[in-house]
Amino acid sequence: MILILGGTGEARQLAEALTEREVRVVSSLAGRVARPRLPVGEVRVGGFGGPDGLARYLRENHIDAVVDATHPFAERIGANAAKAAELTQTPLLRLARPGWQAGPQDVWHWADDLADAARQLPGLGDRVFLTSGRQGLPAFAHLDDLWFLIRCVDPPEPPLPRYHELLLARGPYGVAAERALLDRVDVLVTKDSGGPQTSAKLTAARELGKPVVVVRRPPRPDTETAGTVPEAVEWVLHR
């Protein structure tokens, strides 16, 4: 049986592709989204209790291989997966979509993390379109001189920036709709999530000449890596 750590579109595609090939899979979701899009096949929701708990799950459920298809910024589960795979000698693959690349007309400012992104904002504009996810919003809560249009899937918990408007929405998003939102702001903040699901905002920002603060991906454990679902399917089938 294959354990897919996911919640991403790639994780759902991989579960479907493997199920079609009669490979038994179980997909694990963190449970941070209220109404997640569920993959085909068996699904479990919730954490494992750290690397030791994940290692115990791998042993007790006779997992043959693990595919870490979590979000590029899901640092903790990535580290836990690498440690658990080492403890149990279970093959591990990281399915990581390629990051975004700036073009010649893009006005991008790279940030090392959310705190660095917050430090850069006062020099870039007074009105911010913040699309970095609800868990990182406290990094911007102290910026009382700025106004934020905050978009996330589920309602966030405080602290939040003093002046803000909350937009609850789930991608994918179209370029025209993103352009309408960016017309209301001076600068966009996003994480380097990669993939087409939420890239329309970057196209809209390019067309409008708006600056974008892009948060770099955190380092992940050094493991075998695939950039596409078909590559991950081949890796699994060869196991």
Side-chain angles (χ1 to χ4, degrees), residues 171-231:
Y173 309 103
V175 174
E178 298 291 71
R179 190 185 301 113
L181 293 175
L182 282 161
D183 267 331
R184 304 174 53 193
V185 301
D186 304 313
V187 57
L188 166 68
V189 177
T190 187
K191 293 178 177 178
D192 181 19
S193 300
Q197 181 94 348
T198 59
S199 63
K201 60 191 173 189
L202 301 175
T203 302
R206 181 186 313 121
E207 293 176 352
L208 295 171
K210 298 290 178 78
V212 183
V213 179
V214 185
V215 179
R216 289 187 177 91
R217 295 181 175 187
R220 299 293 290 258
D222 186 16
T223 62
E224 288 190 74
T225 303
T228 66
V229 172
E231 291 175 13

Side-chain angles (χ1 to χ4, degrees), residues 151-165:
R151 181 169 68 192
C152 45
V153 176
D154 294 320
E157 299 288 337
L160 303 177
R162 179 177 181 182
Y163 301 109
H164 72 271
E165 177 182 331

Side-chain angles (χ1 to χ4, degrees), residues 114-183:
L114 291 175
D116 186 26
R119 284 191 291 268
Q120 295 187 39
L121 283 179
L124 296 174
D126 297 325
R127 297 174 65 84
V128 183
F129 185 19
L130 188 53
T131 65
S132 55
R134 64 189 177 98
Q135 292 184 322
L137 294 180
F140 304 90
H142 66 286
L143 297 173
D144 291 340
D145 293 333
L146 306 183
W147 179 88
F148 290 84
L149 175 61
I150 300 172
R151 181 169 68 192
C152 45
V153 176
D154 294 320
E157 299 288 337
L160 303 177
R162 179 177 181 182
Y163 301 109
H164 72 271
E165 177 182 331
L166 188 60
L167 175 62
L168 299 181
R170 188 196 300 265
Y173 309 103
V175 174
E178 298 291 71
R179 190 185 301 113
L181 293 175
L182 282 161
D183 267 331

Side-chain angles (χ1 to χ4, degrees), residues 29-152:
L29 309 182
R32 292 177 178 172
V33 177
R35 295 177 300 278
R37 293 171 177 165
L38 297 178
V40 299
E42 185 178 343
V43 177
R44 70 174 302 279
V45 178
F48 292 95
D52 292 333
L54 177 53
R56 183 166 55 253
Y57 179 89
L58 298 181
R59 295 190 188 98
E60 292 177 353
N61 291 274
H62 307 290
I63 300 298
D64 299 301
V66 179
V67 179
D68 175 9
T70 55
H71 191 276
F73 285 79
E75 300 174 70
R76 181 178 300 177
I77 186 60
N80 289 348
K83 183 61 177 177
E86 179 184 356
L87 290 171
T88 60
Q89 294 299 297
T90 304
L92 170 66
L93 178 74
R94 168 70 181 146
L95 173 53
R97 70 181 80 131
W100 290 318
Q101 300 293 324
Q105 294 180 317
D106 288 311
V107 185
W108 286 14
H109 302 264
W110 286 95
D112 292 331
D113 51 31
L114 291 175
D116 186 26
R119 284 191 291 268
Q120 295 187 39
L121 283 179
L124 296 174
D126 297 325
R127 297 174 65 84
V128 183
F129 185 19
L130 188 53
T131 65
S132 55
R134 64 189 177 98
Q135 292 184 322
L137 294 180
F140 304 90
H142 66 286
L143 297 173
D144 291 340
D145 293 333
L146 306 183
W147 179 88
F148 290 84
L149 175 61
I150 300 172
R151 181 169 68 192
C152 45

